[in-house]
Amino acid sequence: TRLLGLRGLYLEAARQGNREAARHYASRTAHVAPQLGWAAESSIEEKAEDGDWDGALKLLEAQKAVQKTDREGFNRRRAVLLTAKAISTFDTDQPGARAAALEANRLVPDFVPAALIAARCLFRTDEVRKGSKLLEAAWRKHPQPEIADLYVHARHGDAALDRLTRAQRLQSLHSNHPESALTVARAALAAQEFGLAREEAQASIRMDPRESAYLLLADIEEAAGGDSGRVREFLSR
């Protein structure tokens, strides 16, 4: 009866737009009956907004213990919370951030935010090879510019040509993709390999014409000392 009453109070508070009261009733309910989805979900959301990642994870575990949930869905939700914890504690709790990030990546290897923060944690302790492997695995499924940027700049002391080599390595893992071509084009521009940069940027446009590729071509022409007319042409496109 108490649970039914709390549910009614929760619904009434939500109807009136009183989020604080609604979450209070949800939290009380989740404490004694984590199997009730509406209460657990509201309480997890509240703890996440407050940055109480451990509290949210504990509630998620309790929810799993008392009700049947699909393993894949549970792993993804846990990975999301662990990733958020790692990101928020990256500068204040290095061991904790590393442990959370690596677990999140283990649970869902192709979850890009988890791969990114896990790699950042590893790069910070000079585990470049291990961090690079995580990014390569994520890149194979989801080639995104954030992965490429972190991968190419994994070693701070690298020369521009070394970074170009890393960009080409990444391209080989997912060839014939516009993001792969753009990655090499950016690295080639930084290395002043203007011919290669131009070739890869144009290849990206042939696969998927996008604003970033035309902006990059304009940068390449400007850096190579090309005529201003070509620069204006790419900007207009």
Side-chain angles (χ1 to χ4, degrees), residues 9-234:
L9 290 168
Y10 168 82
L11 291 173
E12 183 64 15
R15 187 184 66 80
Q16 294 178 359
N18 190 338
R19 294 182 67 196
E20 184 176 351
R23 288 183 171 178
H24 167 74
Y25 295 126
S27 179
R28 286 183 60 187
T29 305
H31 181 70
V32 295
Q35 74 275 13
L36 295 179
W38 66 269
E41 294 300 325
S42 179
S43 296
I44 289 173
E45 181 182 335
E46 178 186 12
K47 292 182 183 301
E49 287 187 4
D50 293 340
D52 182 7
W53 308 114
D54 289 334
L57 287 164
K58 184 178 179 180
L59 192 52
L60 184 64
E61 287 289 344
Q63 190 180 21
K64 177 191 177 186
V66 295
Q67 68 181 52
K68 293 182 178 180
T69 58
D70 70 285
R71 185 178 184 83
E72 183 178 350
F74 171 80
N75 285 348
R76 180 161 289 275
R77 296 187 68 200
R78 181 169 174 80
V80 168
L81 291 172
L82 286 167
T83 299
K85 177 182 177 180
I87 292 172
S88 65
T89 59
F90 181 76
D91 294 319
T92 57
D93 179 13
Q94 296 183 17
R98 174 193 170 99
L102 290 177
E103 184 185 349
N105 181 255
R106 179 182 60 79
L107 289 171
V108 188
D110 64 337
F111 181 43
V112 172
L116 289 171
I117 189 61
R120 287 179 63 200
C121 289
L122 292 169
F123 291 160
R124 186 166 55 182
T125 54
D126 294 325
E127 297 176 82
V128 176
R129 183 178 179 83
K130 187 175 180 179
S132 297
K133 291 295 183 183
L134 299 186
L135 293 178
E136 288 171 2
W139 176 266
R140 286 187 177 95
K141 289 195 172 184
H142 306 290
Q144 295 184 9
E146 294 83 4
I147 297 176
D149 184 63
L150 185 58
Y151 184 88
V152 170
H153 295 89
R155 293 191 294 255
H156 295 295
D158 276 359
L161 285 175
D162 294 325
R163 289 173 178 166
L164 175 56
T165 300
R166 286 183 65 79
Q168 290 172 319
R169 160 67 180 164
L170 204 60
Q171 183 185 41
S172 70
L173 300 177
H174 204 122
S175 56
N176 298 318
H177 191 281
E179 203 57 58
S180 293
L182 281 178
T183 297
V184 174
R186 293 188 189 99
L189 172 58
Q192 297 188 343
E193 297 285 343
F194 301 123
L196 176 60
R198 188 181 293 111
E199 176 184 335
E200 292 292 343
Q202 290 172 341
S204 173
I205 287 173
R206 286 194 295 272
M207 287 182 276
D208 178 22
R210 59 176 75 174
E211 180 181 340
S212 57
Y214 284 112
L215 289 172
L216 182 58
L217 271 175
D219 289 341
I220 293 167
E221 289 301 327
E222 187 173 31
D227 63 78
S228 58
R230 290 281 288 168
V231 174
R232 286 196 299 272
E233 177 189 350
F234 289 133

